[in-house]
Amino acid sequence: MTPSLNVEYDWIAPSDVDAAYKIEVQGYPPDEAASLDAFKYRQSQASDLFLGAYLPGPPRVLIGYICATLSPSLTLTHLSMSSHVPSSASVCIHSVCVAPEHRHKGVASNLLKTYIAKLKEKGQYTRVLLITKEGMRGFYEKAGFEWMGISGVVHGKDKWHEMRILFDTYTPHGDSASVAPPEVPKTVEEALALGSGTSTSEQETQMRANLWDALQRSSKRPRPTAKLFESYKGGINDLLGSHEGKESVPVNRFDILCPRSGCGSFILKKGVAEYVRRASVKMDPPQLPPQTLLATLPDPPENTDWWLIKPTPMQFENIGFSRPVHGVTQGGNGEFAHIAIPFTVRVRIWGY
């Protein structure tokens, strides 16, 4: 039997982020490991959720860690896994990882037990959420997690299982629980109703969590499949319809969706964008790799196809998920700005 290690537990300091990241890349395949920037973000924004296991020094040696962020969601989604919402009640665990040379020594189980105890002691969280692969279900069930089913989160090539601990029912090692799990809303209307019986501040907090969860549940409906621009035999003419009230103004005839596999998010509803031919611009920063889903823009000042969006970016269905092209400017008079969105005819926003 392998003797147990003398391990200290402490919150990860900025100086130990690189060491934690090294353990991450040793523990996960490249398509699953987080980036160093992600680790720095988690430590800077949620340092009290980034716990390390150390061999005593001097100097101390980091041999494992758990990191997490907060979300108001009652379940894990791509959004709740990629953002941090301070003062939220759900702890979203991103990684539980131990250095290869210290595995199978009880480090991970003791680290997780300590982590859960520290979270519960704070008294400000209601649940802990994570996703794991099939082979690790038993490990987390022994720690008190319950299996919720196959997760909708896509991360790497394997399927993930969602698991959780509810602190009002958490009893380690399978002891009986005395409080039933909270009711989970399925619609926005149910979410509003569930928050109606509490005080004003509690009601606002509960409604926010309930609405978040209801909206996330609606986002799990089957995604439509995008049809790429190049597949239309008639080219741009097959995509154009008439503007209501302005027959001479061509607009997008169909909804415009994200073409990434498994996404299908709406970008623009039909009839929102006007088709124009205007000068090309350099949208892609040269230091970034080319976007395989996007057609290459011609060099300026050659003309190309644009969807004209006005009067504001709020015409987009998913403006909150669009990422700006950093470091790219055009002119200096505020005439237009642009947002990089992954579909084959790119979008340029004018007039605001």
Side-chain angles (χ1 to χ4, degrees), residues 12-15 17 38-48 50:
I12 297 282
S15 58
V17 170
F39 266 56
K40 291 179 178 178
Y41 172 81
R42 294 168 188 171
Q43 196 283 327
S44 65
Q45 300 300 313
S47 59
D48 58 344
F50 206 152

Side-chain angles (χ1 to χ4, degrees), residues 89-249:
S90 296
V91 178
C92 303
I93 291 181
H94 298 282
S95 183
V96 179
C97 201
V98 174
E101 64 271 23
H102 294 293
R103 293 174 188 167
H104 309 295
K105 300 177 182 179
V107 176
S109 57
N110 289 329
L111 174 61
L112 186 59
K113 180 179 178 180
T114 301
Y115 190 77
I116 297 300
K118 287 179 177 293
L119 295 180
K120 193 173 184 182
E121 285 173 4
K122 291 186 178 184
Q124 62 193 83
Y125 310 122
T126 59
R127 66 190 61 81
V128 184
L129 307 171
L130 61 80
I131 56 175
T132 188
K133 295 181 180 179
E134 174 66 30
M136 294 297 294
R137 275 184 58 184
F139 169 77
Y140 288 108
E141 286 171 346
K142 288 180 181 179
F145 285 81
E146 61 175 324
W147 182 70
M148 301 303 296
I150 299 296
S151 173
V153 174
V154 178
H155 187 55
K157 63 181 180 179
D158 297 324
K159 289 185 177 180
W160 295 84
H161 298 256
E162 181 164 350
M163 306 191 75
R164 74 176 182 184
I165 283 177
L166 299 176
F167 279 138
D168 55 2
T169 63
Y170 173 60
T171 49
H173 309 300
D175 296 339
S176 61
S178 59
V179 183
E183 184 179 353
V184 178
K186 296 182 175 62
T187 66
V188 172
E189 289 76 13
E190 290 182 11
L192 291 170
L194 285 175
S196 61
T198 57
S199 66
T200 301
S201 59
E202 292 175 341
Q203 182 175 345
E204 290 176 353
T205 301
Q206 185 63 45
M207 280 187 177
R208 181 177 67 169
N210 291 341
L211 282 169
W212 181 279
D213 183 71
L215 291 170
Q216 294 303 317
R217 285 176 174 271
S218 68
S219 72
K220 291 184 178 181
R221 293 176 293 185
R223 301 283 188 178
T225 301
K227 186 176 180 181
L228 296 179
F229 170 70
E230 288 82 359
S231 65
Y232 287 88
K233 295 181 180 180
I236 190 65
N237 291 326
D238 286 350
L239 302 179
L240 301 180
S242 298
H243 193 293
E244 185 177 352
K246 297 180 182 180
E247 299 297 327
S248 62
V249 178

